[in-house]
Amino acid sequence: MDIIKFTSKKSFSIGFIGFVLVLLAALPLYAKGYTPILLTSIFMYVILSVSWTLFSGPTGYMSLATAAFFGVGIYTAAFLGKTLPLPVFIISGGLISSIVALLVGALTLRLRGIYFAIFTFGLVMLISNLLLFWELHAMETRGRFVVIVDYNTIYYTMLIIFVALMLTAYFIRRSKFGLALQSIGENEEAAAHIGINVTLVKVVNFAVSAFFIGAAGATIATRWTYVDPYIAFNPLFSFLPVLMAIFGGMGQLYGPVIGAVIFAYLQEILITRFAELYMLIFGVILVFSILYIPNGLVGLIQKWRKGGQAGEHASN
Amino acid sequence: MRVIEGERVTKYFGGLAAVSNVDFHVDNGEIVGLIGPNGAGKTTLFNLISAAIALKSGVIRFKGEKISGLKPYQICRMGVSRTFQSVKVFSNLSVLQNVMLGSLYGAPAGMSDADANSEATELLEFVGLSNVSMIPAKDLTLANQ
Ligand SMILES: Nc1ncnc2c1ncn2[C@@H]1O[C@H](COP(=O)(O)OP(=O)(O)OP(=O)(O)O)[C@@H](O)[C@H]1O
Ligand SMILES: [Mg+2]
């Protein structure tokens, strides 16, 4: 009985996801102009938020390096976009971000808590200023133009990265690798003592997460057409994914997706209607959601499904 | 045969010699207890054996092989396991997952998910915790943790 219920629920989910994917894939056929552009930017935020959660969710390491990986992807597109075909420079953007993550991770993943967060944020500043120095002194430029790509191609590229990321995140969550990640977040010392190579697990996961962030950066760069280090390494891209993930809830895979979709859409509306106020409204929503829905929208949904029977846990 | 032995094992915390020039060995089949007043350095010695902390000097061997200098996960996979003075469970993972992690990662060869699952299930049966295998470990009583 239970099994039947379970499988029918599962095939319903798969059917629903398939349906949404077909709708999204066919979108440029029935919606022209603004809609694919809006959805591209929503996908971008979803990718950033899910990638951030992929690493920081289970491990509990608060990474603020998202803007660094994103910027590395953007600059990769700026450098390689004019000479290499699109898939090659997008994948390069992801790979170079991964390599940066491997190096940085190996150096810094021994830092815990606030120190790790600050170091990763420092990385954003460091790369940004190095590039700026190089632009100004070696190239005598300020920024650079990126190859222009039509918006449907950008849309499909973002969609593909999004689907690849969701599949990766889904399989990691279900794998023994995912279980190891969770155990590290719960108690790293105990994890190391039951045979988990904690450094390797963390660094590999960090690099996987950076890959998708870098690929998204390389893709969106083609829409921005002109980038400089301040645009490419905007610190907001370190913070927004965190806020979106917290708002959506990190307990489930779809949490950061919902959070990012709502936030990105809100941003789009607010920025056009209340250009000066939008950050303020953003902030207010955030404060309230952290105060009143600490487990995010996912937490709310689960509570509502269980009819409030979820037990409370006091620490002992 | 010596299963585990240490020679001149030393660890300082700042100027404090928590473990100083300790020689010890445990032979095959032996059950050995380590006693001493609070702060004598018992936990520190266990931390040195499992490499939770690095020793300053001396050497520790397991079945004749040097293990001092290895990482905790390597020592664990060689067959040295430990518990902690304060209980450390993975609070938000299920009881079954807690036990499975050991089967998945603790052995040198590693195990398939299905094998780890059945081994963990058997072990929980053995200790009488099968009925709570799906609840988060933090909801167990302290003794059951
Ligand atoms: N991480 C640490 N940093 C600094 N000093 C430490 C550290 N760990 C232990 N010590 C000190 O080393 C000495 C030995 O401590 P240890 O915990 O090994 O004692 P113990 O024999 O396990 O005591 P108990 O019976 O209370 O468990 C103590 O003086 C303790 O304060
Ligand atoms: Mg002790």
Side-chain angles (χ1 to χ4, degrees):
Chain A
M1 169 68 195
D2 263 6
I3 293 167
I4 295 167
K5 228 162 86 187
F6 178 72
T7 46
S8 69
K9 199 178 138 201
K10 198 173 168 190
S11 53
F12 172 78
S13 312
I14 292 173
F16 179 72
I17 291 171
F19 176 69
V20 172
L21 274 183
V22 170
L23 273 188
L24 288 173
L27 184 99
L29 300 178
Y30 55 82
K32 301 245 180 290
Y34 179 64
T35 315
I37 294 178
L38 171 67
L39 278 177
T40 301
S41 118
I42 291 181
F43 280 142
M44 183 195 83
Y45 281 112
V46 171
I47 292 167
L48 296 187
S49 179
V50 172
S51 303
W52 178 83
T53 313
L54 185 68
F55 173 75
S56 292
T59 61
Y61 278 82
M62 167 90 168
S63 164
L64 291 178
T66 310
F69 301 140
F70 192 59
V72 167
I74 291 173
Y75 254 81
T76 306
F79 284 135
L80 306 179
K82 295 200 180 92
T83 47
L84 295 175
L86 180 107
V88 178
F89 76 75
I90 303 277
I91 291 175
S92 304
L95 286 179
I96 296 174
S97 290
S98 287
I99 293 169
V100 174
L102 283 177
L103 294 176
V104 172
L107 280 177
T108 63
L109 276 166
R110 65 193 77 230
L111 302 174
R112 285 242 64 162
I114 191 85
Y115 301 102
F116 179 75
I118 289 173
F119 189 96
T120 50
F121 190 63
L123 183 70
V124 180
M125 300 292 129
L126 178 75
I127 302 181
S128 161
N129 283 296
L130 279 179
L131 273 173
L132 188 65
F133 185 85
W134 176 83
E135 290 273 17
L136 292 175
H137 296 280
M139 306 302 288
E140 302 196 323
T141 47
R142 183 70 185 38
R144 48 203 53 245
F145 287 96
V146 189
V147 65
I148 296 172
V149 176
D150 76 285
Y151 59 77
N152 277 342
T153 309
I154 301 182
Y155 172 78
Y156 278 119
T157 310
M158 226 36 130
L159 181 63
I160 291 169
I161 299 172
F162 164 70
V163 172
L165 168 62
M166 293 311 286
L167 287 173
T168 309
Y170 177 78
F171 285 110
I172 285 183
R173 276 179 77 100
R174 293 174 52 103
S175 69
K176 71 183 235 187
F177 183 75
L179 195 58
L181 282 169
Q182 268 180 290
S183 74
I184 290 172
E186 295 280 335
N187 192 324
E188 189 161 343
E189 195 183 11
H193 280 90
I194 55 168
I196 296 171
N197 185 349
V198 289
T199 313
L200 184 76
V201 170
K202 286 187 296 187
V203 172
V204 166
N205 185 238
F206 199 43
V208 170
S209 145
F211 177 86
F212 292 100
I213 298 170
T219 310
I220 205 69
T222 60
R223 205 183 87 188
W224 290 353
T225 62
Y226 173 83
V227 296
D228 68 25
Y230 286 130
I231 300 175
F233 292 82
N234 184 346
L236 219 50
F237 289 111
S238 281
F239 294 108
L240 286 179
V242 184
L243 304 182
M244 291 168 175
I246 292 175
F247 178 65
M250 299 189 284
Q252 297 290 326
L253 192 53
Y254 61 87
V257 179
I258 301 179
V261 169
I262 295 178
F263 253 72
Y265 187 67
L266 263 183
Q267 183 185 31
E268 205 60 43
I269 297 178
L270 294 178
I271 218 166
T272 43
R273 306 230 174 112
F274 316 97
E276 294 89 39
L277 285 178
Y278 103 94
M279 265 299 166
L280 183 71
I281 302 177
F282 240 44
V284 172
I285 296 177
L286 236 149
V287 168
F288 274 89
S289 59
I290 289 178
L291 280 179
Y292 296 105
I293 46 168
N295 294 323
L297 296 175
V298 166
L300 266 191
I301 295 170
Q302 282 175 339
K303 212 165 157 188
W304 167 73
R305 267 200 189 157
K306 283 186 189 157
Q309 56 158 288
E312 298 214 347
H313 295 290
S315 54
N316 51 4
Chain B
M1 189 189 86
R2 300 219 155 151
V3 175
I4 195 154
E5 63 183 323
E7 262 169 44
R8 308 186 71 75
V9 177
T10 302
K11 173 74 196 179
Y12 283 92
F13 291 114
L16 173 89
V19 171
S20 170
N21 275 321
V22 174
D23 294 320
F24 64 92
H25 62 88
V26 178
D27 290 335
N28 204 3
E30 261 186 320
I31 294 178
V32 175
L34 178 63
I35 57 169
N38 294 136
K42 304 179 294 295
T43 299
T44 305
L45 186 61
F46 282 110
N47 282 339
L48 292 172
I49 295 172
S50 76
I53 53 180
L55 43 64
K56 179 169 179 288
S57 60
V59 58
I60 301 171
R61 275 185 287 268
F62 177 64
K63 293 182 180 163
E65 271 182 76
K66 180 167 176 273
I67 58 169
S68 40
L70 297 181
K71 291 270 162 50
Y73 79 92
Q74 295 169 316
I75 295 173
C76 167
R77 288 181 191 176
M78 290 174 74
V80 181
S81 69
R82 70 167 292 187
T83 59
F84 294 89
Q85 186 163 358
S86 58
V87 181
K88 287 186 201 241
V89 294
F90 305 117
S91 311
N92 292 305
L93 299 184
S94 72
V95 174
L96 181 70
Q97 284 174 320
N98 267 268
V99 181
M100 259 178 80
L101 272 164
S103 310
L104 285 170
Y105 288 97
M111 236 184 217
S112 77
D113 286 13
D115 288 348
N117 197 316
S118 59
E119 182 178 87
T121 309
E122 270 170 38
L123 289 171
L124 283 173
E125 190 118 2
F126 179 71
V127 296
L129 289 175
S130 337
N131 56 334
V132 288
S133 66
M134 289 306 163
I135 69 171
K138 67 179 173 205
D139 291 346
L140 292 180
T141 61
L142 197 59
N144 280 345
Q145 290 187 7

